[in-house]
Amino acid sequence: MLPRNASDEDILAEDAVTLKLENQKNGWKGVCVSHHSNGEEYNNPTKAVGRRYIHIRCHSADPNTFLSAYFEEDGLRRDVKDSNTRAGLKVAAEALDYMGTRGIPVDKIDTHSLRIGGANALSLNGYSKEHIQKMGRWRGDTFLEYIRESLADFSDGMSKSMKKAFGFVSLEAGVYTDITASTMERDYKVNVSTQTASAA
């Protein structure tokens, strides 16, 4: 952990950052969330927070200044508001042609899209529900509604996995040997005979 008076160079060289969220509207309050460096020079969560801290420290000695604060050249303080973030997201979505390339209407994109997108990204990368819930500061399982099961990435490879024959036994029926082959053959014969009888 770096001291408050750490040099700008040391701050920007850090590979992790921890935020304590006390004024969040949704989710848990008073919790800490950590982010690690993703290796990028600019689009990097640790460097982004570092730049914010350095900027604020240059203009204010108040340790309680929000990370949303920024200062004009004349020293006037302003704050990034949720409306600014929403507008920025929509501008970016327009520039990236979200409607044409992803089928997502720009008017549906909002600040909540960041949490939804984060949950989807973590899920697609194999993170557990517990990891997603803690990282997104979700109180319950509501985030599961936002994990889009219709995404093609979720079903990639499922067909191959579903056709794989696993050896299994039916303990409930008192069978203690592998009945995979016989069950598959029986089901096939039953289906064929049923279809034949229906056709007749």
Side-chain angles (χ1 to χ4, degrees):
M1 181 180 294
L2 293 176
R4 289 181 181 272
N5 62 349
S7 68
D8 294 357
E9 292 76 16
D10 286 343
I11 291 173
L12 294 177
E14 276 297 296
D15 61 358
V17 62
T18 299
L19 300 176
K20 184 175 182 181
L21 307 176
E22 296 180 338
N23 65 324
Q24 184 191 6
K25 179 180 178 181
N26 299 315
W28 294 320
K29 294 184 179 181
V31 298
C32 292
V33 175
S34 294
H35 261 300
H36 290 263
S37 172
N38 59 15
E40 294 191 18
E41 183 60 31
Y42 191 79
N43 297 319
N44 187 323
T46 59
K47 292 183 183 296
V49 174
R51 290 191 297 269
R52 292 269 66 240
Y53 180 78
I54 291 170
H55 172 77
I56 293 171
R57 184 174 66 177
C58 286
H59 295 87
S60 174
D62 183 0
N64 296 314
T65 303
F66 290 164
L67 282 176
S68 61
Y70 68 95
F71 296 83
E72 302 283 5
E73 292 184 0
D74 59 2
L76 179 65
R77 172 185 167 167
R78 299 185 185 277
D79 284 270
V80 176
K81 300 178 180 179
D82 59 344
S83 58
N84 302 131
T85 304
R86 284 197 299 271
L89 287 172
K90 293 182 186 298
V91 168
E94 286 278 8
L96 294 170
D97 189 20
Y98 261 44
M99 185 61 201
T101 61
R102 297 169 176 81
I104 303 174
V106 173
D107 62 346
K108 296 293 185 183
I109 295 174
D110 208 333
T111 50
H112 204 58
S113 302
L114 298 173
R115 295 186 79 196
I116 296 172
N120 277 293
L122 290 174
S123 180
L124 288 169
N125 280 282
Y127 284 88
S128 68
K129 292 191 296 185
E130 290 75 17
H131 279 110
I132 298 171
Q133 183 177 17
K134 289 182 179 180
M135 197 63 187
R137 306 172 307 283
W138 302 92
R139 284 185 178 275
D141 291 338
T142 54
F143 70 94
L144 294 175
E145 300 174 10
Y146 300 118
I147 296 178
R148 310 301 191 192
E149 295 182 358
S150 60
L151 289 176
D153 301 86
F154 280 106
S155 59
D156 184 29
M158 283 186 178
S159 293
K160 291 182 179 178
S161 298
M162 291 169 71
K163 75 173 186 177
K164 182 178 180 181
F166 289 92
F168 66 92
V169 296
S170 177
L171 297 178
E172 185 178 358
V175 178
Y176 301 99
T177 57
D178 182 6
I179 60 171
T180 304
S182 61
T183 302
M184 291 175 68
E185 180 68 16
R186 184 193 66 194
D187 288 346
Y188 174 74
K189 289 179 178 177
V190 169
N191 290 335
V192 171
S193 62
T194 302
Q195 291 175 1
T196 304
S198 299

